[in-house]
Amino acid sequence: MSSELKNKNVSVEVAKALEKSNTISKTFCHFPFTTSFIGSGGIAIPCCVSELANHPDSNKELQLPRKSFDDYWNSKVLAKVRQELLEGKKPISCRRCWVDEAQGMTSKRIDDATKIERASLEDLSVEEFKEKIIKKPKLLWLDLQMANLCNLGCRMCTPWNSSIIEDEAIAHAEEFKNQKMLKKRILDPLPYVAKETAWWKDSGFRKELEKLIPQLRAITVSGGEPTVNKYFNDIIDFCIKEGYAKDLILKFNTNGMQINRKYMDKLTPFYKIEMKVSVDAVGPLYGYIRWKGDWKTLEKNMFLFKEYRSSRFKVVSDPTYMVLNILNMVDLLQWHLDNDMWWYNLNPVHLPKYHNITCLPMQVRELAYNRLSKFLQTNKSAFDDQQRTSITNILLHLETDDTKFQKEILPVFFEHTRILDKLRGQSFSKLAPELYNLLHKIPLTI
């Protein structure tokens, strides 16, 4: 395991895979050899946190549907990333993982080291892996972000992720244009979102996807909200009709608001299903973070989803942690314990920076740290290795101190919150009162 890592709570499987991975190189990652993530703009990159699109050698012409999967898979820029990883170098397009690991946290490359069933270092020897995967890179896992069509307007999202936010930004552009960071994140993407979020509707892409599906081990779909997207449901129908579902792992993220029993039954022909439900808070705070979402509806649906859980139908919560819920993570985890709800990972909001917990004053982070640390110690036996890893990652993140980041970014959080409260008829002081009161007591200390 990397000597930089302070978090030693990775699962046995991941630890063994990482030990093997280190014999290939100290920076090795399977994603560029096995996986492609296609974001809502149609640009292919190795994984959902990769910054390959910003790589100096990258070529925007690799954008789908103008180019094909083969063009990306055999591109010079991806070949360079593969070679750098094999040589133990740190490609700049993989910056997010190097930042996390430098802070002592596990990263996506580590957490997901065993995600490709029957084709990972958990299942293969190093020699087999080199021969079957490294020498012959083959797309085995396709991760699609199919446009921004969504029924919610979450505070940490952008027009790329939510049609609700896109519409809100268009209607209220005057509110966002005077703050540089908000303009860049919320207004500047609008022309590109309008132009490029429909790449997956292209008939050529659909034919290429249908041709690719038989070779895939897994397909992941995110959004927007996949379950309200006709084209996602068409993919499901295609896989079932053509008999591919029985050999395919289907993974998708959902806010869980629109799914009923009939929809759950429809998914059962797949070899395995992994349904990740976005649950970031309980009670009114949930609807504050995920605007237009209703906690009572989600909670009811979560108990429905629980009925379908099995070794092949994995239904888990997929929480994110951010400025707005960091003081309430214990409440969220306790709800999961009380109701025997499964969760796998707690995901940091890195972007936007004004929802990244690094922008919080130390006093707030210390309070969150103490609560979460005590909760982990009290309930340690209730969590598995991966869950303990995930909680420990938050604790390490809370220890990160960057006063410049706080001084520059926290005011943007206040401005963004003020604007959304005004537009949405919500109230920071009423729906997150503890955080509100703390931040307004200590602004001069940051």
Side-chain angles (χ1 to χ4, degrees):
M1 195 175 302
S2 170
S3 59
E4 295 177 347
L5 290 179
K6 299 175 185 176
N7 190 344
K8 305 296 183 181
N9 290 317
V10 294
S11 68
V12 173
E13 293 79 10
V14 171
K16 288 181 178 178
L18 191 56
E19 185 177 356
K20 289 183 179 179
S21 176
N22 283 341
T23 67
I24 299 172
S25 89
K26 296 297 183 182
T27 64
F28 182 77
C29 175
H30 75 84
F31 281 110
F33 297 84
T34 61
T35 307
S36 178
F37 172 81
I38 318 294
S40 57
I43 296 177
I45 54 179
C47 76
C48 64
V49 302
S50 171
E51 298 175 8
L52 184 69
N54 298 321
H55 194 286
D57 297 321
S58 188
N59 188 336
K60 295 287 183 172
E61 291 185 1
L62 293 176
Q63 187 175 36
L64 278 66
R66 291 196 291 270
K67 295 292 183 176
S68 68
F69 283 117
D70 285 344
D71 290 324
Y72 161 71
W73 198 248
N74 299 311
S75 65
K76 291 182 180 179
V77 64
L78 187 59
K80 183 175 181 180
V81 169
R82 290 173 181 148
Q83 188 61 36
E84 287 178 345
L85 291 171
L86 290 173
E87 293 173 355
K89 298 177 181 178
K90 296 180 177 181
I92 59 173
S93 54
C94 306
R95 182 190 65 86
R96 187 75 59 80
C97 284
W98 314 137
V99 169
D100 286 346
E101 291 175 29
Q103 292 176 349
M105 302 159 58
T106 54
S107 61
K108 185 172 180 65
R109 82 173 184 99
I110 294 172
D111 287 334
D112 290 358
T114 60
K115 282 294 181 72
I116 304 291
E117 187 172 317
R118 304 189 302 276
S120 77
L121 281 162
E122 178 187 9
D123 306 303
L124 302 174
S125 68
V126 173
E127 291 72 23
E128 290 173 322
F129 190 85
K130 287 180 177 179
E131 189 66 32
K132 294 180 179 181
I133 306 298
I134 294 177
K135 285 187 179 180
K136 304 170 185 177
K138 183 178 181 181
L139 187 63
L140 300 175
W141 180 6
L142 184 60
D143 192 346
L144 300 173
Q145 186 178 19
M146 296 188 69
N148 69 343
L149 182 63
C150 193
N151 53 324
L152 301 185
C154 304
R155 287 183 173 243
M156 55 286 193
C157 288
T158 75
W160 284 112
N161 314 116
S162 167
S163 52
I164 298 288
I165 295 176
E166 181 186 9
D167 292 343
E168 182 179 61
I170 292 170
H172 303 285
E174 291 293 318
E175 298 284 351
F176 300 101
K177 72 176 186 179
N178 294 322
Q179 210 296 325
K180 184 178 179 181
M181 188 175 291
L182 297 183
K183 178 180 178 296
K184 182 178 180 180
R185 183 166 176 84
I186 298 170
L187 297 184
D188 290 354
L190 290 175
Y192 304 98
V193 172
K195 180 181 177 183
E196 297 175 351
T197 54
W199 59 269
W200 39 272
K201 293 182 180 179
D202 180 81
S203 60
F205 163 73
R206 294 295 299 280
K207 289 179 182 177
E208 193 170 9
L209 176 61
E210 291 176 0
K211 184 180 177 181
L212 272 172
I213 283 175
Q215 80 177 44
L216 298 178
R217 302 281 173 84
I219 184 168
T220 299
V221 180
S222 57
E225 171 52 38
T227 63
V228 301
N229 189 315
K230 176 184 182 297
Y231 292 88
F232 171 64
N233 293 312
D234 285 349
I235 291 173
I236 292 176
D237 291 339
F238 172 80
C239 291
I240 294 172
K241 179 182 177 182
E242 299 298 323
Y244 299 130
K246 68 181 189 309
D247 301 311
L248 190 63
I249 301 172
L250 174 67
K251 304 170 182 249
F252 67 98
N253 294 73
T254 177
N255 56 50
M257 297 295 296
Q258 302 279 341
I259 301 179
N260 55 27
R261 190 176 295 277
K262 181 179 179 180
Y263 197 93
M264 296 294 285
D265 289 338
K266 180 181 180 179
L267 301 175
T268 55
F270 283 86
Y271 168 63
K272 285 185 180 179
I273 306 101
E274 183 175 312
M275 192 172 100
K276 292 184 176 181
V277 188
S278 301
V279 187
D280 305 315
V282 298
L285 183 60
Y286 168 80
Y288 186 62
I289 294 172
R290 294 191 176 266
W291 184 47
K292 294 186 179 291
D294 175 70
W295 169 248
K296 290 183 179 179
T297 300
L298 179 62
E299 186 174 39
K300 178 183 177 182
N301 285 349
M302 289 296 289
F303 281 99
L304 167 63
F305 305 157
K306 183 179 173 181
E307 295 178 28
Y308 286 79
R309 286 188 337 206
S310 69
S311 59
R312 55 174 295 274
F313 202 137
K314 188 176 180 181
V315 185
V316 296
S317 296
D318 192 42
T320 55
Y321 67 89
M322 67 199 87
V323 169
L324 283 168
N325 70 353
I326 192 62
L327 291 176
N328 303 87
M329 290 306 296
V330 166
D331 298 333
L332 179 62
L333 295 175
Q334 187 64 59
W335 178 84
H336 281 79
L337 287 178
D338 291 344
N339 295 288
D340 186 31
M341 296 293 180
W342 294 356
W343 63 274
Y344 176 74
N345 204 32
L346 303 170
N347 306 289
V349 172
H350 285 294
L351 295 173
K353 291 181 179 180
Y354 48 86
H355 279 290
N356 185 329
I357 62 172
T358 306
C359 78
L360 284 169
M362 182 57 77
Q363 293 94 321
V364 177
R365 284 183 285 132
E366 284 179 348
L367 178 58
Y369 183 100
N370 291 335
R371 283 181 182 171
L372 198 54
S373 179
K374 181 179 179 181
F375 181 79
L376 176 59
Q377 292 304 314
T378 302
N379 299 280
K380 202 165 188 176
S381 61
F383 301 122
D384 62 25
D385 286 344
Q386 172 57 36
Q387 291 171 328
R388 287 191 288 271
T389 297
S390 195
I391 296 173
T392 304
N393 274 343
I394 300 182
L395 296 175
L396 290 166
H397 196 168
L398 285 165
E399 289 180 325
T400 304
D401 191 15
D402 187 339
T403 55
K404 182 180 178 181
F405 191 92
Q406 294 154 34
K407 289 177 182 178
E408 293 178 354
I409 305 301
L410 187 58
V412 185
F413 166 80
F414 284 124
E415 180 64 5
H416 183 246
T417 301
R418 181 193 67 78
I419 293 171
L420 293 194
D421 281 0
K422 175 184 174 183
L423 298 180
R424 299 175 175 186
Q426 294 180 305
S427 171
F428 181 26
S429 63
K430 291 180 180 178
L431 294 171
E434 183 182 29
L435 179 62
Y436 175 88
N437 290 329
L438 281 170
L439 290 178
H440 284 77
K441 282 180 181 176
I442 55 177
L444 296 178
T445 65
I446 63 174

